[in-house]
């Protein structure tokens, strides 16, 4: 929104595209190919010039500026399964909802992601084989954030098992000096 761009993803062609809207027309400005993850509608998140994309087994971070892609890296974690939803909590903190009913909290740093916490939102699906993700009865379908202040709020998480859970969050800046 701050750069007046539209970002789209397509599972069919495996691309992330950066569009500029001018006079009721879309003009393609840049694209990134071979992105297998764009099938989840809530798995795109923009934080301070970084587009985060939830993928299978990780999160791709695309740095962008002036409607152009500058760089890309992939934070891989084999235990993730699919990342289905991501929301910004404030500053550089964000939460992602994953396969098997898990949620992960992260801090986006200059060129890396730092795992802060992982919690199970609901019951754990058995996942002995690779195909279970497609039939996962517990994956996170959506996350909503309600801010009470700059450092605290509520997180509402919905799952495919038709449950809604509400969590309170609070974070503090830690001085490093």
């Amino acid at each position: 929104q701050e750069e007046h761009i539209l970002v789209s993803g397509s599972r069919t062609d495996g691309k992330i595209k950066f569009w500029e809207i001018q006079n009721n027309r879309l003009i393609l400005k840049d694209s990134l190919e071979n992105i297998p993850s764009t099938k989840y509608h809530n798995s795109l998140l923009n934080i301070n010039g970084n587009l985060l994309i939830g993928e299978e087994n990780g999160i791709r971070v695309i740095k962008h500026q002036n409607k152009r892609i500058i760089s890309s890296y992939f934070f891989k974690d084999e235990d993730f399964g699919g990342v289905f939803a991501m929301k910004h909590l404030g500053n550089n903190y964000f939460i992602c909802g994953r396969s098997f009913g898990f949620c992960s909290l992260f801090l986006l740093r200059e060129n890396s992601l730092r795992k802060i916490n992982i919690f199970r939102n609901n019951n754990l699906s058995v996942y002995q084989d690779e195909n279970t993700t497609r039939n996962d009865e517990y994956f996170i379908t959506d996350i909503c954030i309600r801010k009470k202040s700059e450092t605290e709020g509520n997180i509402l998480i919905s799952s495919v098992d038709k449950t809604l859970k509400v969590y309170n969050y609070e974070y503090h800046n830690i001085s490093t000096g």
Side-chain angles (χ1 to χ4, degrees):
Q1 190 172 15
E2 60 272 4
E3 290 189 33
H4 303 288
I5 60 175
L6 171 70
V7 178
S8 66
S10 169
R11 181 171 63 176
T12 305
D13 64 5
K15 292 182 182 180
I16 294 290
K17 296 177 182 178
F18 282 63
W19 304 88
E20 183 174 28
I21 303 170
Q22 290 182 358
N23 302 323
N24 295 325
R25 289 184 20 214
L26 286 175
I27 298 169
L28 182 63
K29 299 303 270 185
D30 208 349
S31 67
L32 189 64
E33 297 186 17
N34 299 320
I35 307 293
S37 64
T38 57
K39 57 187 167 190
Y40 310 124
H41 70 285
N42 282 328
S43 64
L44 297 175
L45 179 63
N46 191 52
I47 300 176
N48 302 328
N50 295 282
L51 178 66
L52 287 80
I53 305 167
E55 294 191 23
E56 188 70 29
N57 298 322
I59 299 170
R60 179 167 309 280
V61 180
I62 298 174
K63 269 195 163 327
H64 61 90
Q65 187 175 21
N66 299 323
K67 303 172 184 87
R68 300 278 184 214
I69 297 168
I70 298 170
S71 64
S72 170
Y73 69 90
F74 187 65
F75 175 84
K76 187 173 185 173
D77 188 332
E78 294 290 341
D79 293 332
F80 257 41
V83 176
F84 295 93
M86 292 192 295
K87 293 292 182 195
H88 190 211
L89 294 171
N91 290 344
N92 286 345
Y93 291 93
F94 68 96
I95 184 170
C96 66
R98 307 177 3 224
S99 296
F100 316 118
F102 282 96
C103 292
S104 297
L105 298 169
F106 285 94
L107 173 61
L108 174 65
R109 292 212 166 147
E110 186 62 33
N111 290 312
S112 66
L113 295 179
R114 178 177 173 213
K115 264 193 257 186
I116 302 297
N117 198 359
I118 297 171
F119 62 94
R120 187 181 305 162
N121 183 65
N122 52 19
N123 295 326
L124 179 62
S125 176
V126 177
Y127 60 100
Q128 275 92 4
D129 66 56
E130 294 176 9
N131 298 322
T132 307
T133 352
R134 291 186 202 104
N135 302 318
D136 180 9
E137 298 175 14
Y138 303 101
F139 73 86
I140 306 302
T141 55
D142 206 354
I143 299 173
C144 295
I145 304 296
R146 178 183 162 258
K147 288 187 176 185
K148 295 182 195 176
S149 71
E150 287 299 312
T151 59
E152 64 181 305
N154 304 107
I155 303 169
L156 176 67
I157 300 174
S158 63
S159 303
V160 76
D161 68 348
K162 300 179 185 174
T163 62
L164 292 172
K165 295 201 174 97
V166 178
Y167 299 90
N168 296 318
Y169 75 89
E170 183 178 328
Y171 63 87
H172 305 276
N173 290 327
I174 300 170
S175 64
T176 57

